[in-house]
Amino acid sequence: MLIPKGALVVSCQARADNPLHGPVYMTAMAQAAQAGGAGGIRANGEADVAAIRAVTRLPIIGIAKVWDDRFPVYITPGFEQAAQIAKAGADIVGLDATPRPRDGEPVERLIGRIRAELGKEVFADIATLEEGQAAHAAGATYVATTLSGYTEETASRKTEGPDLELLSALVAEIPAPIVAEGRFDTPDLVAEAFRRGAHAVVVGTAITNPREITRNFVRAISF
């Protein structure tokens, strides 16, 4: 199942320290997103993916976050995690497609194995135009701006809002569906991404993380 053009994809994720962590809450989030018109869901971990798959037929981008102090790559670093996500019901496997060190095989080989052995589409999280081009050449179905500002190479140019310039460059240079993701926190920014040629836009925190939404409001309070 592919991500429809013009879709808003809602990222339903909560870390272990978040009160909404776990399949019960993330399934409810996914159902709420679907009721609101979302065209896809992004979810982390086989338990959440399986639970969300049971209640929706929307396309699911599944990822598996594996934290390891030895490696900077934590989004689906290896084939084992990709296989688990695929088995849980993800239509598309999302992964960190930067060339940084990972606990697994080179990303080009990983993309190829996911396509050939699992029969799944690949959603490549990248941070630069060159990384997007490499991911596309390796067979990724979608290329997304997810990691711009979150890698050592791009941290110095991280903006408060999304990296719209990277989005425009990817759209101009890569003949594949380009997805805008990362720091999209207003409807106007989502609309701007589509004006710039995005195939879809992923929004997470601004929709599905009440703790961070509350913190943003509290930070704005002044007397």
Side-chain angles (χ1 to χ4, degrees):
M1 191 183 305
L2 298 174
I3 301 169
K5 184 174 177 58
L8 175 69
V9 177
V10 176
S11 183
C12 299
Q13 300 181 51
R15 295 187 184 184
D17 67 336
N18 191 309
L20 297 182
H21 177 71
V24 172
Y25 299 112
M26 289 301 99
T27 298
M29 283 288 188
Q31 290 176 302
Q34 177 173 291
I41 302 294
R42 177 164 166 137
N44 173 47
E46 56 184 317
D48 284 9
V49 169
I52 293 170
R53 175 80 293 155
V55 300
T56 183
R57 297 313 306 163
L58 291 177
I60 297 175
I61 304 164
I63 64 173
K65 291 183 176 178
V66 181
W67 306 97
D68 188 328
D69 291 340
R70 299 173 299 168
F71 303 100
V73 170
Y74 61 87
I75 302 174
T76 323
F79 185 77
E80 179 182 358
Q81 293 84 26
Q84 291 170 346
I85 291 300
K87 184 177 180 180
D91 304 286
I92 303 154
V93 175
L95 51 77
D96 180 324
T98 69
R100 299 179 296 168
R102 69 191 65 227
D103 187 13
E105 58 207 290
V107 67
E108 295 84 1
R109 175 168 167 75
L110 179 58
I111 291 172
R113 290 189 68 190
I114 292 170
R115 297 300 303 269
E117 298 178 37
L118 301 178
K120 296 295 182 180
E121 309 295 336
V122 174
F123 187 99
D125 294 340
I126 57 85
T128 68
L129 172 61
E130 294 74 21
E131 291 167 1
Q133 291 171 320
H136 172 61
T141 316
Y142 305 95
V143 175
T145 61
T146 316
L147 295 175
S148 177
Y150 299 104
T151 65
E152 184 176 350
E153 180 182 354
T154 63
S156 63
R157 59 180 176 82
K158 180 180 178 182
T159 56
E160 182 177 346
D163 191 341
L164 294 171
E165 296 308 312
L166 174 60
L167 171 63
S168 294
L170 292 167
V171 169
E173 298 293 335
I174 299 175
I178 305 302
V179 179
E181 181 174 7
R183 304 187 295 283
F184 282 89
D185 57 6
T186 69
D188 285 345
L189 286 171
V190 171
E192 178 61 22
F194 284 118
R195 281 193 290 270
R196 291 179 180 239
H199 177 86
V201 180
V202 179
V203 177
T205 297
I207 295 176
T208 59
N209 194 334
R211 182 176 64 183
E212 294 308 312
I213 295 169
T214 302
R215 285 174 173 168
N216 286 336
F217 277 98
V218 170
R219 279 193 289 265
I221 296 173
S222 61
F223 295 98

